[in-house]
Amino acid sequence: LHNHRDWLNAPFRKEPERLFPVLVEFRLLPRSIHPFVYLYERFYQQYREFRDRVVQKVGIEPLEIEVPQKSEEAITLLKTQCKMLADKKIRPVLLLDDFDLPFEHMSFSDATALRPFRDYAALVMAIGQPLHLANKEAAGSPLFQSTPLRRLEGLSSGEARRLLEEPARNERKPFPIDDVELILSQTSGHPYLIILAGRALWDMRRRLNLLDTTTPL
C-alpha cells in the first residue's frame, strides 16, 4: 500500500496505514465452523497484528475479544467492530478468497446480513464461479445484486514475469532465465496458470536438487 499509494483514493493516499486488509481464505474453512465465525476469527487474528503495527500512528484502541459460537453472534460482533474502526477513520478491507465455496451453503438471510458492511468496510470477493450459479437464492439478496463483477484479465509481460520470479527470488533460489522464458511462453499471461507452473517448477527443481544451482530444468 505504501509503494502504490497513488492507486488509492483520498484520504488513504496520504495515510495508507488507515487501510486494514483482512485476508480470509475460505478454502481453508473447517467444515465444523460457520463461515461467519471463521470470518470473525480471521478478522480478530489479523487485527492484533494491524493494531501493533499502526497504533502509535493512528492511536486506535484494543477491541474487546469475544469468542462467538453462533453465526449471528459472529456477524454482529464483526459489524460492531468494523463500525468502531470506521468511526476512527480506519477502513477494513475484507478480502474474501474463494468466496463462492461458503456462498453455496448460505441462506438468503445470511447473504442479506452482509449488506450493512458496505457502509463502513470494503468487501472484495474472489470467486471461481458466478455467485448466481453457486446459490441462486442467496445471490438474489440486495448486496450481491448491486455488487460489480470484474473479470481477471491476463497480466502484462512485466507483471507475469514478476509473479513467476519474485517468490523464488525472495527465497534466494531464483529460477534460471531459460525456465522462466519457457513458462512465460506457454501461459499467455494467465495468472492462475503462472502460479501453478511456478509451483510445479519449484517442486521439480527441489526433487532434482537443482534449487541451489543455475542449471535450467
Side-chain angles (χ1 to χ4, degrees):
L1 294 175
H2 282 269
N3 292 341
H4 301 286
R5 61 176 67 204
D6 55 306
W7 296 354
L8 305 176
N9 294 326
F12 306 111
R13 189 172 300 161
K14 291 184 178 181
E15 295 183 284
E17 61 274 4
R18 288 188 176 275
L19 286 174
F20 170 34
V22 180
L23 176 60
V24 185
E25 298 174 280
F26 279 111
R27 71 181 185 279
L28 304 179
L29 171 67
R31 291 187 178 183
S32 59
I33 297 179
H34 190 279
F36 290 169
V37 175
Y38 181 66
L39 173 58
Y40 179 77
E41 289 177 352
R42 297 296 301 140
F43 171 87
Y44 194 80
Q45 288 169 2
Q46 294 177 63
Y47 170 77
R48 288 182 296 181
E49 298 176 7
F50 172 79
R51 182 195 64 204
D52 293 343
R53 193 166 64 244
V54 304
V55 65
Q56 292 183 344
K57 177 77 175 179
V58 299
I60 56 178
E61 299 293 329
L63 296 177
E64 292 292 332
I65 179 60
E66 297 186 48
V67 183
Q69 302 297 322
K70 297 180 179 180
S71 61
E72 296 85 356
E73 297 172 359
I75 204 68
T76 299
L77 274 172
L78 191 58
K79 288 177 186 176
T80 301
Q81 296 184 355
C82 281
K83 188 177 187 305
M84 288 172 57
L85 291 174
D87 290 342
K88 297 177 183 295
K89 310 302 183 186
I90 301 294
R91 182 75 167 175
V93 182
L94 306 181
L95 305 170
L96 311 180
D97 196 21
D98 290 309
F99 181 70
D100 51 308
L101 299 180
F103 191 78
E104 290 180 1
H105 309 290
M106 283 188 185
S107 66
F108 183 87
S109 60
D110 283 341
T112 302
L114 292 171
R115 171 61 184 87
F117 280 98
R118 178 165 288 180
D119 297 331
Y120 35 77
L123 294 175
V124 182
M125 295 164 278
I127 56 176
Q129 62 175 324
L131 295 182
H132 71 275
L133 296 181
N135 186 332
K136 184 177 180 179
E137 179 188 2
S141 66
L143 173 64
F144 299 101
Q145 285 295 301
S146 61
T147 298
L149 177 65
R150 299 285 183 264
R151 296 194 179 278
L152 188 61
E153 304 293 341
L155 302 177
S156 69
S157 59
E159 291 168 336
R161 184 177 298 277
R162 178 181 172 188
L163 178 61
L164 179 60
E165 291 182 332
E166 270 199 2
R169 188 185 302 126
N170 290 342
E171 294 295 324
R172 299 184 180 179
K173 300 181 188 297
F175 290 145
I177 189 63
D178 287 353
D179 288 347
V180 170
E181 295 298 338
L182 176 63
I183 287 177
L184 294 179
S185 71
Q186 299 296 314
T187 50
S188 301
H190 192 295
Y192 188 53
L193 286 180
I194 293 170
I195 291 170
L196 292 180
R199 183 171 66 186
L201 177 61
W202 177 275
D203 289 344
M204 293 170 70
R205 292 185 63 80
R206 181 185 59 196
R207 276 187 244 156
L208 296 172
N209 295 316
L210 294 176
L211 282 178
D212 294 312
T213 75
T214 57
T215 304
L217 189 63

